[in-house]
Amino acid sequence: MGNLRFQVVEEAFKKKPLEVVSPKERPSEFFAKYVFTRDKMYKYLKKDVYEKLINVIDNGAPLDRSIADAVAKGMKQWADENGVTHYTHWFQPLTEGTAEKHDAFVEHDGKGGMIEEFSGKLLMQQEPDASSFPSGGIRATFEARGYSAWDPTSPVFIIDDTLCIPTIFISFTGESLDYKAPLKRSLHAIDEAAAAVARFFDPQVKKVITNLGWEQEYFLVDEGLYSARPDLMLTGRTLMGHDSAKNQQMDDHYFGTIPDRVQAFMKDLEIQALELAIPVKTRHNEVAPNQFELAPIYEEANLAVDHNMLLMSLMKKVARKHGFRVLLHEKPFDGVNGSGKHCNWSLSTDTSTLLHAPGKTPEQNLRFAVFIVETLMGVYKHNGLLKASIMSATNAHRLGANEAPPAIISSFLGKQVSEMLDSIEGTNGGYEGKGKDKQLKKLDIPEIPELLIDNTDRNRTSPFAFTGNRFEFRAVGSEANCASAMIALNAAVAEALVDFKKRVDERIEEYSKRPEYAEGTGHTAQYHAILDTLREDIRTCKPIHFDGNGYSDEWVEEATRRGLDVEKSCPVIFDRYLDEESIRMFESLGIMNRKELEARNEVKWETYTKKIQIEARVLGDLSMNHIIPVATHYQARLAKNVSAMREIFPDDEAMKLSTRNVKIIREIAERIQAIETMVEELVDARRVANRIESEREKAIAYHDTVEPKMDEIRYHIDKLELTVADELWTLPKYRELLFVR
């Protein structure tokens, strides 16, 4: 039974890196080769059509349907030159993945033949079947109609022979059934709210852009080993497996030399990503064995989300070409670090960066402080919602462990920013100090140049840390659509900024009547109105500010005292979407309505249940059909040895010589009995939970009664793995999965 495992491991060891043929051009020359970029728009579209389309993209002007045919004609001409035969509307349903239906560029010509055609109507919208996508009850099973609508702000691109058109996806009755539609609404909301506040400091500001830079962590596993682990294939993680004697404790994998096979995969992936205009920049080994990271240059948030979703699909495709499987599950292996997707979020205007480190004038510092504090206000007021936005059945395995942000949302600011806010809060005359540039750190080594030291340190235990000119939302899961977190964050900050401006305007009206704030007497009524409102908010949002160790037990107690959300149950955490203040925020900003939020929560609860249900069924199957037969076989072999000893030696001596084997036989018997009993209990718990009609209550039942039994079963299986002879164990072990490249 074990020979097959050894063969798979041996084959994995023998694999050589696949040779990757690099393009002759420099990356800048083949960047966006398969993307309908502005230079291609200019080449293939008439000037007036090009200008109208650019106005839509840059300024949010309404899309003129009259230009659709001209745009479609230009796109098809470019696509034809690249060997394209099909097109698809590429969208992001509530499955955490992407969806596409390919149609050929063909129509009847009315003469018994066919013509190749691509009209503006086909570009603008399509009607994919909506009945089989998660809708949370918005659409009944027999109500199939849904619409996908072109998003011109995200360029179309070519994959193989297909023109891919990024779109939103909505139901026949108008509700969003995807991530892109509410993301775009949230970006519009924060644009309006932030621009209005930014104009207090610079009246020339026209728009505010939300930027996103994601860091994608992932594992690579040899494809043969992956295929020999049904739990990896069906659930994305190992449901059993004892720790390897050596894993990540030596810290020797982190930033280490990239293995040759992996380097070949990364090179191939980067070439294809750059051809699709995904601006990949960084690659390195992560902490856990066989764990790696890829990060791009920052982009506008809507485009960045599209690129991340496209990249995850591309990774899977390229990995198989190189004999790997990509694992995007947040915790594929127990005992080593899981994978996240750190989302670096920032705001910039058409003239400057709003979250840039403190400036050198009081006015610059005041603007910086306003946007820092109002971001904190949004995070503080909706900390439970932000946690819900990144929570899932898979990410729940990672959050709270001592290798990922804790399941409590807090924000690290660093010494300089903290001191600045303390000074503003406690000073009557405002904060007049100058911001500090990066300090020079002189080393006593002549050959080494002076180092520029950042004004803020880093705190890896903070889920929402300020890191210089951006906030890093570190709690997002590696396989998640990061739009979920961005929607909640954008909405929370937009609401805080709208409220801030309202209160400042009220104070300006009041203060303008005071003679001490008249023109020419010093700072204006507006300045004091901003400062007083800011001080008020600094005091209000203090509970979310925490620069200490987020892993400590003391922090859980302290967070509870501060009134932060410390709930750990994934299904219960989803409730935060349906808090009245959450619904009020989303509806007031025009992002989602109550019906959409309720439907999305139904999808979240149902998805959670199904994931745990699949894991439980797989674990039960492996326990009864893999683990117990192997353990029983080894037990029988030991029993045969004990019987043989009694035939050879006198009873007393035979018993003494067989003590170890008898002990192992007994242990195996006890663990087999425990596993059989617990598998029966697991099945019974599922049956009880499945009879619950409420999706929320069913998900809670799976969390409370099903999932804990899986951990108990795993404990006994992992002990058996250490006990049973290695040559009999059928499933690849951690030492093979994590170290074969």
Side-chain angles (χ1 to χ4, degrees):
M1 285 186 288
N3 289 336
L4 177 60
R5 169 179 143 236
F6 292 147
Q7 291 172 13
V8 171
V9 173
E10 185 178 8
E11 289 173 5
F13 270 118
K14 290 180 179 178
K15 286 182 180 176
K16 303 296 182 183
L18 185 68
E19 184 178 354
V20 179
V21 180
S22 300
K24 295 180 180 180
E25 312 99 312
R26 300 294 298 167
S28 58
E29 296 174 306
F30 64 81
F31 181 75
K33 178 180 180 180
Y34 296 117
V35 179
F36 197 60
T37 52
R38 293 184 184 220
D39 61 332
K40 297 184 182 79
M41 293 179 193
Y42 189 80
K43 177 181 177 181
Y44 290 94
L45 302 180
K46 293 182 180 179
K47 185 178 179 181
D48 63 324
V49 173
Y50 170 81
E51 290 176 348
K52 288 181 180 179
L53 184 57
I54 293 301
N55 190 34
V56 172
I57 296 170
D58 287 348
N59 304 314
L63 181 61
D64 186 351
R65 296 182 71 94
S66 65
I67 69 170
D69 283 333
V71 173
K73 181 179 179 181
M75 281 183 184
K76 185 174 184 299
Q77 183 182 348
W78 169 68
D80 286 343
E81 293 173 8
N82 283 276
V84 171
T85 57
H86 290 66
Y87 69 93
T88 183
H89 276 203
W90 182 82
F91 56 98
Q92 301 164 29
L94 303 178
T95 59
E96 300 298 331
T98 58
E100 52 197 68
K101 180 185 74 171
H102 297 197
D103 286 318
F105 290 128
V106 294
E107 296 291 341
H108 285 296
D109 65 357
K111 303 174 184 177
M114 69 177 189
I115 57 173
E116 295 185 18
E117 183 178 87
F118 184 54
S119 66
K121 180 181 178 181
L122 297 176
L123 167 65
M124 294 283 283
Q125 72 179 60
Q126 208 174 23
E127 188 186 332
D129 186 343
S131 63
S132 295
F133 288 110
S135 71
I138 285 180
R139 305 294 288 154
T141 302
F142 59 85
E143 296 173 322
R145 182 161 289 174
Y147 295 107
S148 53
W150 176 37
D151 172 17
T153 63
S154 186
V156 301
F157 54 92
I158 295 171
I159 297 288
D160 296 325
D161 64 351
T162 303
L163 183 71
C164 301
I165 305 161
T167 62
I168 65 169
F169 181 46
I170 62 173
S171 73
F172 177 71
T173 48
E175 294 88 1
S176 62
L177 296 174
D178 69 343
Y179 284 102
K180 181 183 274 283
L183 173 65
K184 289 187 69 67
R185 293 180 191 133
S186 77
L187 293 170
H188 177 70
I190 200 167
D191 172 17
E192 287 194 338
V197 172
R199 282 191 282 269
F200 280 139
F201 306 95
D202 180 3
Q204 302 304 313
V205 170
K206 296 179 180 178
K207 65 184 298 185
V208 169
I209 301 163
T210 302
N211 303 299
L212 171 62
W214 40 263
E215 303 167 27
Q216 181 70 57
E217 295 176 341
Y218 61 95
F219 281 83
L220 287 176
V221 174
D222 185 85
E223 188 165 31
L225 296 171
Y226 172 89
S227 299
R229 288 289 306 229
D231 49 352
L232 270 181
M233 293 177 64
L234 297 175
T235 73
R237 74 180 183 104
T238 53
L239 300 177
M240 60 193 71
H242 199 280
D243 290 350
S244 171
K246 178 185 183 296
N247 47 52
Q248 67 185 42
Q249 65 265 50
M250 299 301 294
D251 298 321
D252 53 350
H253 186 67
Y254 190 51
F255 279 20
T257 302
I258 300 172
D260 290 344
R261 276 184 68 197
V262 176
Q263 182 90 346
F265 156 76
M266 288 179 168
K267 181 179 178 180
D268 199 355
L269 175 63
E270 287 178 359
I271 291 171
Q272 295 191 44
L274 290 169
E275 288 177 337
L276 290 169
I278 306 173
V280 292
K281 181 178 178 68
T282 302
R283 65 189 185 201
H284 64 81
N285 290 4
E286 256 299 336
V287 175
N290 275 14
Q291 186 186 33
F292 307 93
E293 181 179 295
L294 178 152
I297 301 170
Y298 287 46
E299 299 181 281
E300 184 275 327
N302 177 52
L303 182 58
V305 170
D306 282 0
H307 278 166
N308 182 246
M309 298 303 293
L310 178 57
L311 179 90
M312 288 193 289
S313 297
L314 192 62
M315 289 173 78
K316 296 172 183 177
K317 178 181 176 181
V318 176
R320 296 197 68 174
K321 176 181 172 184
H322 289 261
F324 286 120
R325 287 297 186 117
V326 168
L327 302 182
L328 293 173
H329 192 290
E330 283 78 7
K331 194 73 171 178
F333 302 103
D334 195 33
V336 297
N337 279 16
S339 298
K341 178 150 48 197
H342 302 175
C343 288
N344 295 276
W345 175 93
S346 65
L347 298 173
S348 60
T349 71
D350 42 336
T351 59
S352 63
T353 302
L354 294 176
L355 295 177
H356 198 274
K360 297 182 179 180
T361 68
E363 288 74 18
Q364 289 175 332
N365 282 335
L366 186 59
R367 186 187 73 169
F368 169 77
V370 164
F371 281 93
I372 287 288
V373 171
E374 294 315 308
T375 298
L376 294 178
M377 280 290 288
V379 174
Y380 168 59
K381 185 175 180 182
H382 295 286
N383 69 93
L385 174 65
L386 287 173
K387 182 163 67 175
S389 75
I390 53 87
M391 186 54 72
S392 67
T394 54
N395 205 21
H397 292 287
R398 167 177 165 263
L399 296 179
N402 284 356
E403 40 98 353
I408 302 171
I409 300 297
S410 65
S411 184
F412 166 85
L413 298 178
K415 182 178 179 181
Q416 185 184 358
V417 177
S418 298
E419 288 179 349
M420 176 184 177
L421 297 185
D422 288 343
S423 178
I424 293 174
E425 181 189 4
T427 307
N428 289 329
Y431 180 70
E432 300 289 349
K434 292 185 177 181
K436 298 178 182 178
D437 292 326
K438 290 185 177 181
Q439 302 172 353
L440 286 172
K441 179 78 171 179
K442 187 164 184 170
L443 304 177
D444 294 327
I445 307 173
E447 296 85 0
I448 303 299
E450 294 177 328
L451 301 179
L452 287 173
I453 305 301
D454 286 298
N455 293 325
T456 57
D457 197 357
R458 302 194 69 174
N459 185 328
R460 68 186 301 272
T461 74
S462 177
F464 194 77
F466 181 68
T467 55
N469 57 5
R470 64 194 183 276
F471 280 96
E472 184 179 8
F473 198 0
R474 300 184 66 250
V476 182
S478 57
E479 72 174 356
N481 185 327
C482 45
S484 176
M486 294 299 99
I487 292 166
L489 177 58
N490 292 341
V493 176
E495 182 191 54
L497 288 167
V498 168
D499 182 62
F500 176 80
K501 184 177 187 303
K502 177 184 177 184
R503 287 180 290 130
V504 169
D505 286 343
E506 291 171 351
R507 278 195 166 102
I508 290 174
E509 184 177 359
E510 176 190 345
Y511 290 1
S512 62
K513 300 173 184 177
R514 298 182 183 180
E516 64 267 31
Y517 298 147
E519 293 289 341
T521 60
H523 287 305
T524 64
Q526 175 176 292
Y527 176 86
H528 284 281
I530 292 172
L531 194 60
D532 289 349
T533 308
L534 181 62
R535 287 192 183 118
E536 189 175 86
D537 287 351
I538 291 173
R539 289 189 288 270
T540 299
C541 69
K542 269 191 173 181
I544 204 69
H545 178 194
F546 178 66
D547 286 358
N549 180 11
Y551 294 161
S552 68
D553 293 335
E554 292 79 10
W555 168 231
V556 179
E557 297 175 5
E558 173 64 21
T560 304
R561 285 194 293 271
R562 294 186 183 195
L564 303 180
D565 192 311
V566 297
E567 178 61 58
K568 294 182 179 180
S569 169
C570 179
V572 176
I573 289 170
F574 292 150
D575 288 345
R576 300 289 72 76
Y577 271 99
L578 299 181
D579 289 344
E580 285 302 318
E581 60 182 11
S582 297
I583 295 173
R584 184 164 54 250
M585 174 188 71
F586 283 120
E587 290 190 330
S588 67
L589 296 171
I591 297 172
M592 286 184 282
N593 59 38
R594 182 185 294 269
K595 183 178 180 181
E596 288 172 313
L597 290 166
E598 289 174 344
R600 282 166 189 264
N601 259 31
E602 288 290 305
V603 172
K604 288 177 182 293
W605 285 316
E606 184 179 3
T607 300
Y608 178 88
T609 296
K610 288 179 177 178
K611 283 185 178 291
I612 305 302
Q613 186 181 71
I614 291 169
E615 288 186 353
R617 294 175 67 182
V618 171
L619 181 60
D621 172 46
L622 290 178
S623 298
M624 303 305 292
N625 296 311
H626 283 254
I627 306 305
I628 290 179
V630 168
T632 303
H633 181 70
Y634 182 56
Q635 185 185 45
R637 195 164 84 177
L638 292 176
K640 185 177 181 180
N641 176 268
V642 171
S643 297
M645 297 288 275
R646 287 177 177 173
E647 291 178 4
I648 299 172
F649 300 101
D651 289 347
D652 290 347
E653 188 175 358
M655 184 172 296
K656 184 178 180 180
L657 293 172
S658 303
T659 299
R660 179 179 180 275
N661 283 354
V662 171
K663 182 181 178 181
I664 295 174
I665 291 170
R666 180 175 289 110
E667 180 186 350
I668 291 175
E670 291 172 351
R671 295 201 185 281
I672 287 175
Q673 184 178 18
I675 291 171
E676 288 178 335
T677 300
M678 290 176 186
V679 168
E680 288 180 9
E681 292 176 355
L682 183 67
V683 172
D684 289 340
R686 279 174 29 222
R687 286 172 178 162
V688 171
N690 290 340
R691 287 196 288 267
I692 300 174
E693 292 187 8
S694 164
E695 291 295 348
R696 177 183 183 274
E697 298 306 318
K698 185 187 297 183
I700 291 174
Y702 264 86
H703 176 274
D704 293 349
T705 65
V706 176
E707 196 168 11
K709 296 187 189 314
M710 294 170 60
D711 294 334
E712 296 173 8
I713 294 170
R714 176 177 188 149
Y715 171 79
H716 290 285
I717 292 176
D718 290 355
K719 290 296 183 182
L720 283 176
E721 183 183 319
L722 289 181
T723 304
V724 173
D726 186 59
E727 74 270 15
L728 296 181
W729 200 257
T730 58
L731 303 175
K733 298 183 176 183
Y734 272 24
R735 67 170 183 259
E736 297 153 353
L737 291 165
L738 287 169
F739 292 98
V740 176
R741 299 185 177 113

